[in-house]
Amino acid sequence: MISCIQRAKTKFLIAFLFALAASFGVSTTGYAQGASLPVDDAGIVSAGESLYKNNCVVCHSVGSDVVVGPGMKGVNERRTQPWLISWTKNSQALIASGDKDAVAIYNQFNKQAMPSFAFSDDEIVSILTYIKSAEAAAAEAPA
């Protein structure tokens, strides 16, 4: 049985850790569905660009061109962030769960499995932010 003192220490430790995380700017909630991506944050866009170019560009274009997998243009509008995070971390688990969209994408691209990535949620959000930023830059570029 946990004593009152031990329980108080545990509550204090948890509160301290949350306060510490908040003081370092760590997001405890992430970006909610429908929240706008921070495309004006050069650090996040740059981090996302680096991750994208080192991991994603082999199979995906930032535009609408199909490479091995689908082009990423409009992906932030087609899918929710939680879904994209789940897909990126482990697409096969999402397919195995029977997710309708995951199964459709898997079948559409000749049952070619996307590799799983051990990215954090924030790293995936930075990739999504880079994609959104690249779309905005392409839209602003003169034709």
Side-chain angles (χ1 to χ4, degrees), residues 102-132:
V103 171
I105 292 168
Y106 181 65
N107 289 330
Q108 179 183 356
F109 290 92
N110 300 315
K111 298 185 179 183
Q112 178 68 40
M114 180 173 145
S116 297
F117 290 95
F119 294 142
S120 69
D121 291 3
D122 287 340
E123 288 172 321
I124 296 169
V125 168
S126 75
I127 293 169
L128 297 173
T129 302
Y130 163 68
I131 293 166
K132 187 73 170 175

Side-chain angles (χ1 to χ4, degrees), residues 34-80:
S36 64
L37 295 169
V39 294
D40 56 346
D41 187 322
I44 292 174
V45 172
S46 178
E49 179 180 18
S50 179
L51 286 167
Y52 185 88
K53 288 182 176 179
N54 288 315
N55 297 281
C56 310
V57 77
V58 174
C59 297
H60 301 282
S61 72
V62 175
S64 58
D65 296 333
V66 172
V67 181
V68 173
M72 297 289 96
K73 182 178 181 181
V75 72
N76 290 296
E77 289 71 41
R78 289 192 309 269
R79 306 280 183 259
T80 65

